[in-house]
Amino acid sequence: MIKAKLLFATGCLLLIHQALAAPSGTVYTANERDNSISQVDLASGEVNTVSVTIAPHNVQVSPDGHWLLTVGMPSHGEHAASAMNVMNMQTGQLQVFSTAALGAPVFSLPAGEHPAHVVMDQGGQRAFVTDSAADLVRVFDLQARSEIGSVKTGSYPHGLRLTPDGQTLYVANMRGASVSVIDIATLKELAQIPVGKAPVQVGFAADGRHAYVSLSAENKLGIIDTATQKLTDKIDVGRTPVQIYATSDGQQVYVANQGSSTDPDDRVSVVDPRRKKVIATLKTGKGAHGVAMSTDSAYAFVSNIEAGTFSVIDTASRTVVATHKVGAGPNGISYQE
């Protein structure tokens, strides 16, 4: 009995130690209001912020961790590079950086009238960029450094993510009240799923059976059955939900509630998608916007666009365990292990 109690106590201490272990890896934020990208080492807290020639709206680390992709419109501020702006004055940019030495982009490509979000395929060969103004997803071959195609979507496509099997893109069409489903092999739109008012971003359960969509004008999280391609439920969350991310165990979906610029929200709704209810509401910073997740889902990272910070959330205890100051207007956010 004594031995069993000791083993139990040792196990509890181990669990406590694991829960309190500091996060590791790197977080990147797209700081749209001061034309910069911040690179934050989670273990040391060191922040490296570099100026870029666009107002970056979204960032994404490549699957192998070697590259950082960002999209945005050309900047005409003090940090703008005049040669690039002359060449692409009215054109949005896809810029590719090395994560090993964040500085000037390794290369840049024109990315349409209003690029919003970017994701990569699982092999890191192709990038998919939503062009909100043109109602397109643009497709880029990163090795050839060229645009190789595009896919028509619903009105004003914004956030997009790949299904867990890497075969299909789901795209939130903000003005189309729909989600486009795109086969990345054929570059064909397979369906447009009606979801509700002003969808901003999508996310997935790890098994791929359900997709989630933030309905910013309804203050709800929508749940999509990916087999039937139909919206099945809506769950009340905070004001103006923007980005979302689900934990790998399928038990939690983190929803960042931005509110408005004049009356920002500072909360993250944690939804249990199985019980279809909010199980926690966490206070982060003003204008909670972007959401990323560590590889093991132990931590969620939320950019606070009005506060100029991002918050680190322990998903086991559902508590904010750290806050990091970055550039102004942090929007998109991405994690590198």
Side-chain angles (χ1 to χ4, degrees):
M1 178 64 73
I2 293 173
K3 183 178 181 180
K5 287 181 178 179
L6 286 172
L7 288 171
F8 177 77
T10 302
C12 288
L13 287 172
L14 179 60
L15 288 173
I16 291 170
H17 173 74
Q18 290 174 338
L20 296 177
S24 59
T26 306
V27 167
Y28 297 86
T29 60
N31 309 317
E32 196 164 25
R33 294 180 185 171
D34 68 0
N35 312 322
S36 70
I37 293 172
S38 291
Q39 179 186 48
V40 181
D41 184 292
L42 293 170
S44 68
E46 181 180 352
V47 181
N48 175 31
T49 297
V50 299
S51 297
V52 295
T53 58
I54 58 175
H57 188 73
N58 185 239
V59 286
Q60 183 66 52
V61 177
S62 64
D64 63 9
H66 294 161
W67 306 105
L68 179 72
L69 276 61
T70 186
V71 291
M73 295 301 293
S75 163
H76 303 290
E78 60 179 333
H79 301 302
S82 57
M84 182 173 291
N85 282 321
V86 168
M87 182 174 60
N88 294 299
M89 190 70 76
Q90 302 302 325
T91 304
Q93 293 280 317
L94 165 64
Q95 297 191 344
V96 180
F97 298 82
S98 168
T99 57
L102 195 65
V106 177
F107 65 92
S108 300
L109 297 170
E113 299 175 56
H114 192 146
H117 276 232
V118 58
V119 296
M120 277 160 283
D121 63 17
Q122 291 180 341
Q125 302 300 307
R126 292 184 295 171
F128 303 91
V129 176
T130 47
D131 183 348
S132 299
D135 298 338
L136 294 174
V137 170
R138 298 186 182 273
V139 186
F140 297 86
D141 184 317
L142 296 177
Q143 288 190 334
R145 301 185 181 183
S146 64
E147 183 175 344
I148 58 172
S150 62
V151 186
K152 195 71 175 174
T153 63
S155 180
Y156 209 82
H158 194 76
L160 76 168
R161 286 201 176 116
L162 280 164
T163 51
D165 64 8
Q167 303 303 307
T168 310
L169 274 174
Y170 275 52
V171 185
N173 302 311
M174 285 189 69
R175 296 176 184 167
S178 66
V179 168
S180 289
V181 181
I182 296 172
D183 184 304
I184 68 165
T186 62
L187 297 183
K188 301 292 185 184
E189 185 186 56
L190 304 176
Q192 278 190 32
I193 305 169
V195 292
K197 296 179 181 178
V200 177
Q201 179 58 299
V202 295
F204 292 95
D207 60 12
R209 294 182 180 179
H210 293 97
Y212 310 112
V213 56
S214 55
L215 303 174
S216 63
E218 296 185 27
N219 300 334
K220 294 181 186 295
L221 177 72
I223 300 180
I224 297 169
D225 184 313
T226 56
T228 62
Q229 295 183 343
K230 293 184 182 298
L231 186 80
T232 59
D233 292 281
K234 292 182 181 181
I235 301 165
D236 291 327
V237 290
R239 291 186 296 112
T240 319
V242 183
Q243 290 199 29
I244 56 180
Y245 217 109
T247 54
S248 56
D249 62 9
Q251 295 184 19
Q252 302 178 76
V253 181
Y254 282 74
V255 183
N257 305 302
Q258 182 172 315
S260 66
S261 58
T262 56
D263 185 20
D265 204 334
D266 60 358
R267 296 170 299 163
V268 170
S269 299
V270 184
V271 174
D272 182 333
R274 297 172 181 176
R275 291 191 285 165
K276 299 178 175 60
K277 62 182 292 187
V278 173
I279 54 174
T281 301
L282 313 178
K283 186 173 181 178
T284 56
K286 289 183 178 181
H289 180 97
V291 186
M293 193 78 65
S294 62
T295 308
D296 59 4
S297 291
Y299 295 94
F301 310 101
V302 176
S303 61
N304 306 306
I305 196 168
E306 301 296 337
T309 63
F310 76 85
S311 302
V312 181
I313 299 170
D314 183 316
T315 60
S317 63
R318 294 194 285 270
T319 56
V320 175
V321 295
T323 300
H324 297 272
K325 186 72 175 176
V326 290
N331 198 312
I333 187 167
S334 190
Y335 172 79
Q336 175 190 3
E337 189 170 17

